[in-house]
Every structure is written in C-alpha cells, then in structure tokens.
C-alpha cells in the first residue's frame, strides 16, 4: 500500500485560505467555536484541539469547546492563568510550541494532564482581536512527524481571524440582548413612573396610597428578578458561565428542591407526589445549576397550576442517561405556543399577567441542560396540564488537572 504523501507548503496555505473562507460564513458563536477547533486539528494535523477563554472572576482559563480523536468532551474544564503554559501564552500574547513534552522544563508553566490521553506535543497560539487578547487556541499530538514553524504560522493566522469572528459574534449577541432587555424594562419602569406620580397627588386616599406602595414594591422586585435573570442568561449564552462538575445523588437534590418550595405548594393547596427508583440516581453534573433547573420547573408548575391542583415528579435511569419529568394539571398550553416557550422573554398570550415572571426562566433552563449535553422537552394538553422532561447523560465532561 502506498504511503499517503504529505501536502506541500502551497497546498497547506490553500487549505488555510479555504478554512478562513468557511469561517467567515459562520453566523453564530456556537458554529464558530465548533468549526474553529475542527479546522485547527485539520490545519495542524493534530489529534485534539480546544479554545480557552478567560474568566476574570477567578484568574482561570475555561475551555469553551474542544474536540479529540477519542471523542472526549472537554467543555467546562478550567486552567489557572498564573501557573499554566496556556496562561503564559494568554498573558504574553506569544505562541508556544513543544515538540516533545518529555523534555519540556516547565519554565513557562505546567501543561494539562488528561485521563486516557498522553500529551506528546503541544502547539498553543494567542487569539487576538483588534489588539485585545480574547483567548488561546491549543492543539496537541501531531499525527505525523513534529510540529513545525509552518504549523505555528498557519495556526496563528487562523486563530487571529477566528478571534475576530468570535469577538464580533459576542458583540452581535450583546447588542441583541441589550435591545431586548431595554424593551422589557419599559413596562415596569412605566408602572413605577405612574405610581410615583400618583403618590405626589394630595387627593388620593390612604387606602389608595397603600395599593400604590404595594405596586411599587411588586414592580421593583420584578425589575430585580429581570436584571438578575438577564445577567445569568447572558453568561450562559456567551459561553462564559462557569460549570463545576461533581458526582451527586439526583434523588436527594430533588427532595431538597421540593422542601424549598413546600410553602408555595401549601399556599395554593397543591399536592406533589414523587416517583423515583429505590437506588440512588448518581450523576456527574453541576449540582447548583441542575438544582436551578429543577426549582424553575417546579415554580412554573406551581404558578401556572389551578388551586388545589397536583404535581407529579418522576425520575428514571437508563445505562447512559437520567431523565426527570414534572407534570402538572393546570390549564395547559396551546400547541402553537409550545415551540416558543424556550425563547427568551416569551410569555404566552394566555398567561395571567398577575403572575410575575421574566420570560427568561425556561430559556435559562434550556441553556443549562444543553450545556450538559442534555435536552429539555415539553408536552401539553389544554385543560389537562403540561409536562416538562429533562434528559441528562450520567457522565459529563472529564475533569482536567495540571501536571504536578
């Protein structure tokens, strides 16, 4: 069998041009990230690749997306900036190429050790957009031969253009989100403005003043909830939300969540039943964020249920997945509205406006579940109620650690 010849330098530059053309056609950040790591492995003939973005809150670099020939999920791993080689590239805006990690003296920081992957060679380049460092692109394990100066040159050129595209996608997302937030803020702000105007009048009764004061309190809480939810959604949408993976018993988390909302259940005369397997439902995930999803779905089942209604919480397990469903016997949702439920700021036209909500809760749930490589679905029958189902893989992204 003839050995496949390696591409010439001219052919490799042509591959770079083609990759940049395809990159420019990507319209969303998710597509940009997935394409960038895939193209990086092809352009450098590497075994794996990932992109890391800084988290200024804790001086860490977070892997936003990655690919490996072994199919390992790399999203969610974190690396300290101050003592890692990736952090050195980020801080100094210079590439690093290690032809053989056995002879690396760690003078520029430690490198990642991944379970089941032996890292033999490394090439890391900065991602700079308009003079601003936004992250680093890393490839490992040259498939044939060694990483070369040409590999470094091609990967650096690709990373520079990818950085510009990703940075622009952030700006488009932020612009759209801010526009929508401003629109959503108008209603509570208008209500507050009217209430404050009425309070200045001397001819209104004390009873009316008390009602207006309560309105101000309600709208203030709505503004606070809206801005908090918006910031959470924006972090998830931009890929900058931090995920801390731990192994825990989902059944115990469900019971804790039900205890939290018990007072709300009692206030509406609702009853809740729980159906789970006898054995613990162990899962690897971000416990706080999964709890956030459960509480949001339970709160919705309470808010949109009828007085004296019922909620049924069901959890099941398969060899690869855990799923849970929250059923209510409320008014239900019309079929034409179901596809829109997970859109940001969406609230159905049949929603009682006395029920407070931001229109972001289900969008946040969807972002969290999909970040765990899971899915969330809804089914509903008008007059009978709704069922929200979440399916999550039992084992999530692997944990990384630095070589000691």
């Amino acid at each position: 069998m003839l050995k496949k010849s390696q591409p010439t330098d001219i052919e490799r530059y042509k591959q770079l041009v083609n990759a940049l053309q395809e990159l420019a056609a990507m319209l969303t950040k998710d597509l940009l990230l997935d394409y960038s790591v895939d193209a990086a492995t092809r352009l450098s003939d590497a075994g794996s690749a990932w992109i890391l973005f800084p988290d200024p809150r804790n001086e860490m670099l977070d892997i936003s997306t990655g690919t490996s020939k072994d199919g390992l999920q790399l999203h969610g791993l974190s690396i300290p900036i101050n003592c890692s080689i990736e952090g050195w590239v980020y801080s100094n805006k210079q590439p690093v190429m290690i032809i053989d990690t056995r002879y690396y003296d760690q003078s520029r920081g430690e490198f990642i050790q991944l379970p089941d992957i032996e890292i033999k060679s490394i090439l890391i380049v900065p991602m700079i957009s308009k003079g601003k460092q936004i992250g680093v692109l890393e490839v490992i394990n040259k498939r044939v031969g060694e990483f070369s100066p040409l590999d470094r040159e091609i990967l650096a050129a690709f990373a520079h253009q990818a950085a510009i595209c990703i940075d622009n996608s952030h700006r488009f997302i932020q612009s759209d989100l801010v526009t929508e937030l401003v629109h959503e803020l108008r209603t509570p702000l208008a209500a507050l403005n009217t209430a404050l105007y009425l309070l200045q009048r001397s001819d209104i009764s004390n009873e009316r003043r008390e009602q207006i004061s309560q309105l101000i309190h309600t709208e203030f809480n709505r503004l606070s909830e809206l801005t908090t939810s918006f910031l959470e959604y924006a972090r998830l949408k931009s890929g900058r939300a931090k995920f801390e993976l731990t192994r825990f018993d989902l059944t115990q988390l469900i019971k804790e969540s039900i205890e939290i909302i018990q007072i709300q259940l009692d206030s509406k005369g609702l009853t809740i039943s729980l159906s789970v397997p006898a054995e613990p439902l162990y899962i690897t995930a971000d416990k706080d964020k999964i709890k956030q999803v459960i509480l949001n779905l339970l709160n919705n089942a309470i808010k949109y249920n009828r007085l004296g209604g019922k909620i049924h919480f069901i959890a099941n397990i398969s060899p690869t997945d855990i799923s849970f469903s929250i059923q209510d016997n409320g008014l239900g949702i019309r079929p034409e509205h179901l596809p829109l439920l997970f859109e940001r700021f969406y609230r159905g036209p049949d929603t009682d406006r006395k029920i407070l909500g931001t229109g972001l809760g289900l969008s946040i749930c969807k972002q969290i579940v999909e970040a765990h490589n899971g899915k969330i679905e809804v089914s509903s029958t008008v007059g009978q109620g709704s069922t929200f189902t979440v399916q999550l893989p039992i084992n999530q992204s692997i944990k990384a650690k630095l070589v000691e």
Side-chain angles (χ1 to χ4, degrees), residues 50 63 79 86 110-114 119 400-403:
W50 46 79
I63 296 183
I79 302 166
E86 292 83 4
E110 302 168 338
F111 61 86
I112 300 177
Q113 179 182 357
L114 299 173
I119 299 180
K401 62 179 180 179
L402 292 172
V403 173

Side-chain angles (χ1 to χ4, degrees), residues 204-268:
I204 62 173
S205 65
N206 289 335
E207 181 182 0
R208 182 58 175 152
R209 285 183 184 275
E210 181 64 29
Q211 292 173 346
I212 294 172
S213 297
Q214 184 59 45
L215 172 64
I216 291 174
H217 178 73
T218 299
E219 292 302 318
F220 176 81
N221 287 341
R222 183 180 172 189
L223 275 173
S224 178
E225 184 181 359
L226 179 60
T227 52
T228 300
S229 296
F230 171 80
L231 290 173
E232 173 73 11
Y233 177 83
R235 281 194 292 266
L236 289 164
K237 190 67 177 176
S238 66
R240 293 180 180 271
K242 177 96 173 151
F243 286 79
E244 298 287 348
L245 302 182
T246 59
R247 187 170 184 264
F248 61 91
D249 180 7
L250 183 64
T251 298
Q252 186 59 38
L253 186 65
I254 292 170
K255 292 178 179 178
E256 290 175 8
S257 301
I258 291 175
E259 288 181 10
I260 291 173
I261 51 93
Q262 189 61 54
I263 294 177
Q264 296 169 257
L265 290 169
D266 296 340
S267 67
K268 289 191 67 172

Side-chain angles (χ1 to χ4, degrees), residues 3-285:
K3 187 177 180 180
K4 185 178 179 181
S5 62
Q6 295 300 302
T8 65
D9 291 359
I10 296 297
E11 289 172 336
R12 294 193 63 189
Y13 280 117
K14 287 181 179 179
Q15 292 172 353
L16 172 62
V17 171
N18 290 336
L20 294 177
Q21 290 174 341
E22 292 182 14
L23 183 72
M26 303 291 158
L27 299 178
T28 66
K29 184 194 170 190
D30 289 341
L31 287 175
L32 280 167
L33 292 175
D34 290 342
Y35 178 79
S36 294
V37 293
D38 182 64
T41 57
R42 288 187 283 107
L43 290 172
S44 58
D45 191 29
S48 303
W50 46 79
I51 294 175
L52 301 99
F53 293 119
D55 185 343
R57 297 171 298 174
N58 54 16
E59 292 296 311
M60 302 287 281
L61 287 171
D62 298 334
I63 296 183
S64 178
T65 189
T67 182
S68 77
K69 62 181 179 181
D70 302 310
L72 291 172
Q73 296 292 330
L74 302 172
H75 174 81
L77 310 185
S78 296
I79 302 166
I81 292 177
N82 63 354
C83 61
S84 65
I85 191 170
E86 292 83 4
W88 188 93
V89 172
Y90 176 79
S91 300
N92 291 275
K93 299 183 181 181
Q94 295 180 28
V96 165
M97 183 169 65
I98 302 175
I99 293 176
D100 191 333
T101 57
R102 293 176 299 175
Y103 305 108
Y104 172 58
D105 61 6
Q106 299 190 14
S107 58
R108 294 175 178 173
E110 302 168 338
F111 61 86
I112 300 177
Q113 179 182 357
L114 299 173
D116 303 322
I117 296 183
E118 181 184 1
I119 299 180
K120 300 178 180 179
S121 55
I122 300 173
L123 176 56
I124 312 171
V125 296
M127 301 183 72
I128 302 173
S129 172
K130 302 168 186 174
K132 182 181 72 173
Q133 176 84 330
I134 71 165
V136 297
L137 174 60
E138 180 172 4
V139 297
I140 63 169
N141 296 345
K142 180 78 170 179
R143 293 179 186 271
V144 179
E146 300 176 343
F147 284 125
S148 66
L150 181 59
D151 289 320
R152 182 174 56 204
E153 180 181 341
I154 288 177
L155 193 64
F158 178 79
H160 175 66
Q161 190 60 40
I164 294 173
C165 292
I166 292 169
D167 192 33
N168 286 340
S169 74
H170 278 305
R171 297 176 191 276
F172 293 146
I173 290 172
Q174 291 168 355
S175 177
D176 290 343
L177 287 175
V178 169
T179 298
E180 291 191 50
L181 177 63
V182 169
H183 175 75
E184 293 297 320
L185 287 175
R186 287 177 178 172
T187 300
L189 286 175
L192 285 172
N193 186 51
T194 301
L196 290 171
Y197 169 75
L198 291 174
L199 279 180
Q200 293 174 354
R201 293 177 53 177
S202 59
D203 58 339
I204 62 173
S205 65
N206 289 335
E207 181 182 0
R208 182 58 175 152
R209 285 183 184 275
E210 181 64 29
Q211 292 173 346
I212 294 172
S213 297
Q214 184 59 45
L215 172 64
I216 291 174
H217 178 73
T218 299
E219 292 302 318
F220 176 81
N221 287 341
R222 183 180 172 189
L223 275 173
S224 178
E225 184 181 359
L226 179 60
T227 52
T228 300
S229 296
F230 171 80
L231 290 173
E232 173 73 11
Y233 177 83
R235 281 194 292 266
L236 289 164
K237 190 67 177 176
S238 66
R240 293 180 180 271
K242 177 96 173 151
F243 286 79
E244 298 287 348
L245 302 182
T246 59
R247 187 170 184 264
F248 61 91
D249 180 7
L250 183 64
T251 298
Q252 186 59 38
L253 186 65
I254 292 170
K255 292 178 179 178
E256 290 175 8
S257 301
I258 291 175
E259 288 181 10
I260 291 173
I261 51 93
Q262 189 61 54
I263 294 177
Q264 296 169 257
L265 290 169
D266 296 340
S267 67
K268 289 191 67 172
L270 301 174
T271 58
I272 186 167
S273 61
L274 177 60
S275 177
V276 295
E279 68 274 11
L281 297 178
Y282 287 112
I283 186 172
T284 300

